[in-house]
Amino acid sequence: MAGPKITHVSVTPVAVLDAPLLNASGVHEPYQLRSVIEIDTDAGLSGLAEAYGDDPTLANLRAAAPALVGVDVFDLNELNRRVALALGAVTPGSPTELVGRASRQKTVAQTYGAFEVACYDAQGKATDLRVCDLLGGAVRDSVPYSAYLFYRWAKHPEHAVPDDYPEDDWGAALDPDGIVTQARRMVDTYGFGSLKLKGGVFEPEAEVEAIAALRDAFPDLPLRLDPNANWSVATSLRVTPRLEGLLEYLEDPTEGNPGMAEVARKTTLPLATNMCVTSFEEIPEAAALDSVAVVLSDHHYWGGFRASQRLAGICDTFGWGLSMHSNTHLGISLAAMTQLAAATPNLTYACDTHSPWQREEIIEPGALRWSQGSLAVPEGPGLGVELDRDALARLHEQYLACGLRSRDDKTAMLRADPSWPTHRPRF
């Protein structure tokens, strides 16, 4: 039986306010870029998705969009075929260095995955089923998330923002006390049951002190540290003994599967990654070298829901744990993450989320409800969220006005601090 067929695809870039969050690359700019994908069908049903909003991602989405007209929203193999053909010999690109080296496979997967999510949303509306039901059924009614802690400045540098830019009220966090204060606010506000610190910013010993302070302040909560591969192997081996017994896992202390494997052989800490295992072609090396114990999935760059479930099965086969990566996202992506996590039995680690840093939204309120650090699976069909048209228009205007067309944390930092060392690893 034929399902609804795509009649039109739109891709709308938006810019959302972001905080001056520090990381291994530099500092977040005042705005982060996202794109909103909408598909219309001949049945009068629509489907939503959200993706990165940098120029290369937008170019790929827009190149593929016209080729999807006429595709049945249930025919995902045809969807994938048309995306791959439409991209042709596109130069491989990546919206962020954090997904490892670029490849054509990744570029096609990132593009296809965005449209696949929108098709699943339309499938759900056509069948009156949630996406998690279409993915095999919910194994959990709510999905735990982890507080995402960042070193940060109190506000963006004056040169980086317009005079009327609305800064947030989180204040600076540049030492252990600041990180603990930030964590306490997140736990008190959202009820998070685990804490992750974005590291790779300061000397490793200083970040170990922050982890120790978090352990003292929150003795019962699992802790994670992510240096984003900004430590050398030698530094990692020097630092890991001080972290043993403190962390649930250490994420990407050093670069690449060979380096991670060398560290893994000499520590009892589980090593996690969203940098050296970011596509199916990178899995054999990780398995052969025994470089990782936990993989952080992300449907945005693995290729959507079905590919993420394939990844979950592979992780189960190799005995790897499974968690979920987050970049700056809005409510459509958060709903998609929640639906996928609800239907993935072996995703047993709390997922990452940037939600506490988010101050603007593109979905109608009420569908996503936090309780005790978890999100209830949205109740409506498909993703369970609806687009706020006024917000979409406003955030698109903000995109046009802000002038940013790609994420560049390094350049943003160099404008504020020309002495910032750009070599990697820095420690």
Side-chain angles (χ1 to χ4, degrees):
M1 181 176 177
K5 290 181 173 57
I6 297 172
T7 57
H8 181 260
V9 180
S10 64
V11 179
T12 306
V14 298
V16 295
L17 299 174
D18 201 9
L21 308 178
L22 304 176
N23 56 67
S25 300
V27 63
H28 285 205
E29 295 175 281
Y31 303 92
Q32 286 291 341
L33 307 178
R34 303 295 286 176
S35 57
V36 177
I37 295 94
E38 299 176 75
I39 62 170
D40 298 320
T41 72
D42 59 4
L45 302 171
S46 62
L48 295 175
E50 180 187 330
Y52 293 96
D54 58 289
D55 275 351
T57 297
L58 290 171
N60 291 334
L61 292 170
R62 287 168 172 163
L68 306 185
V69 172
V71 174
D72 188 313
V73 298
F74 288 90
D75 193 352
L76 300 177
N77 289 328
E78 176 65 7
L79 181 79
N80 190 45
R81 187 186 73 83
R82 292 205 191 184
V83 168
L85 284 174
L87 294 184
V90 64
T91 301
S94 174
T96 168
E97 68 186 64
L98 303 184
V99 299
R101 61 183 180 272
S103 71
R104 173 172 166 77
Q105 180 191 73
K106 290 181 181 180
T107 300
V108 172
Q110 291 161 8
T111 307
Y112 162 78
F115 295 119
E116 188 216 58
V117 169
C119 283
Y120 265 105
D121 189 32
Q123 288 179 25
K125 293 171 182 174
T127 59
D128 200 30
L129 294 171
R130 301 172 301 177
V131 165
C132 63
D133 300 318
L134 295 167
L135 294 175
V139 297
R140 51 185 69 88
D141 296 325
S142 61
V143 174
Y145 284 85
S146 179
Y148 211 154
L149 312 176
F150 281 82
Y151 293 105
R152 57 160 292 163
W153 298 329
K155 60 182 182 178
H156 289 284
E158 290 183 4
H159 69 264
V161 295
D163 292 340
D164 59 350
Y165 184 87
E167 299 285 358
D168 64 28
D169 63 352
W170 283 83
L174 299 169
D175 55 25
D177 287 344
I179 292 296
V180 169
T181 298
Q182 186 184 108
R184 198 171 301 284
R185 176 171 171 177
M186 288 201 181
V187 171
D188 289 347
T189 302
Y190 294 91
F192 288 122
S194 60
L195 307 172
K196 172 176 172 174
L197 174 63
K198 178 67 79 176
V201 178
F202 296 117
E203 291 287 339
E205 286 75 14
E207 296 182 354
V208 171
E209 289 180 13
I211 291 294
L214 288 169
R215 171 53 64 234
D216 288 342
F218 303 94
D220 300 324
L221 299 191
L223 305 179
R224 309 165 181 178
L225 175 63
D226 177 15
N228 271 145
N230 214 6
W231 298 352
S232 67
V233 169
T235 297
S236 299
L237 293 175
R238 186 185 80 240
V239 174
T240 49
R242 296 186 57 189
L243 292 168
E244 291 183 357
L246 295 178
L247 295 181
E248 180 181 35
Y249 59 66
L250 176 62
E251 181 181 337
D252 287 310
T254 198
E255 185 176 12
N257 282 307
M260 289 278 284
E262 190 173 346
V263 176
R265 285 193 294 269
K266 299 176 182 178
T267 182
T268 62
L269 285 171
L271 299 190
T273 187
N274 77 287
M275 295 182 70
C276 62
V277 180
T278 61
S279 69
F280 293 102
E281 62 188 342
E282 294 169 344
I283 289 174
E285 181 184 47
L289 296 177
D290 198 19
S291 59
V292 300
V294 181
V295 173
L296 277 73
S297 62
D298 188 325
H299 73 272
H300 297 92
Y301 59 77
W302 276 92
F305 292 141
R306 292 194 305 164
S308 297
Q309 290 192 312
R310 283 177 56 207
L311 172 64
I314 291 170
C315 288
D316 203 31
T317 298
F318 286 116
W320 294 340
L322 187 63
S323 188
M324 189 177 286
H325 167 259
S326 162
N327 207 316
T328 303
H329 57 73
L330 295 167
I332 299 173
S333 279
L334 185 58
M337 293 165 64
T338 302
Q339 295 279 355
L340 175 60
T344 307
N346 60 320
L347 202 161
T348 55
Y349 288 95
C351 303
D352 291 349
T353 181
H354 282 63
S355 291
W357 302 112
Q358 177 189 334
R359 290 184 284 154
E360 296 177 297
E361 188 52 273
I362 53 170
I363 63 170
E364 296 285 354
L368 300 175
R369 302 188 304 276
W370 287 100
S371 178
Q372 297 301 307
S374 296
L375 270 179
V377 180
E379 297 175 356
L383 293 176
V385 296
E386 297 294 335
L387 195 58
D388 181 333
R389 294 279 171 195
D390 291 338
L392 179 67
R394 181 178 61 80
L395 294 180
H396 178 60
E397 288 299 319
Q398 190 161 270
Y399 166 84
L400 296 174
C402 77
L404 296 177
R405 294 298 178 264
S406 63
R407 176 174 172 174
D408 191 352
D409 293 3
K410 180 175 74 172
T411 299
M413 175 60 84
L414 289 173
R415 291 194 187 105
D417 179 8
S419 67
W420 176 262
T422 59
H423 60 276
R424 300 281 296 271
R426 225 172 35 251
F427 304 107

